[in-house]
Amino acid sequence: MTDNKTIAVNGKDYSITLKRFDQYTEPGGPSYHGYYVTIEGHGLTLKARKYDDGSEMSIQSGIQESDSDAIEIVRDIARQIFRTDQLLLLTTDNLSPYKKI
């Protein structure tokens, strides 16, 4: 299931695509449910993931930790869609794959 939305942040519209995922492992094993999130607009193209049972949205690509304006735009979008402002950024560090931003 794919859902397309337009979200306004600071008077600018961003295109949001939510694609549902339900991943199952072997019987009796863990399962993962949530949304793949794509945010596009005004020079921003971002891929993220939001698990149903998680309180944060994890950003997979499309943003740097130093881009505070883009982070605040994404935080506002996450707040509007998922009612959370907690963001995690995928890192290249094998010890800690995500960093809270």
Side-chain angles (χ1 to χ4, degrees), residues 5 7 11 21 26 36 49 52-53 59 74-75 79 82 86 92 101:
K5 301 175 179 276
I7 301 281
F21 68 84
E26 68 278 348
Y36 294 118
R49 193 177 307 165
D52 289 348
D53 60 352
I59 300 168
V74 173
R75 191 179 315 278
R79 207 177 283 125
F82 299 115
Q86 297 179 38
T92 57
I101 54 173

Side-chain angles (χ1 to χ4, degrees), residues 4-5 31-32 34 36 42 52 57 63 74-75 80 85 90 93 96-98:
N4 296 309
K5 301 175 179 276
S31 61
Y32 304 97
Y36 294 118
H42 305 281
D52 289 348
M57 187 169 79
I63 200 168
V74 173
R75 191 179 315 278
Q80 290 184 51
D85 62 359
L90 184 64
D93 181 1
S96 175
Y98 287 96

Side-chain angles (χ1 to χ4, degrees), residues 3 7 11 31 36 38 44 64-65 68 71 73 95 97-98:
D3 187 17
I7 301 281
S31 61
Y36 294 118
T38 304
L44 184 64
Q64 301 297 320
E65 184 179 1
S68 59
I71 289 170
I73 290 167
L95 299 175
Y98 287 96

Side-chain angles (χ1 to χ4, degrees), residues 15-34:
S15 173
I16 316 299
T17 303
L18 301 173
K19 185 175 181 183
R20 181 80 187 158
F21 68 84
D22 293 293
Q23 299 172 341
Y24 299 94
T25 59
E26 68 278 348
S31 61
Y32 304 97
H33 309 278

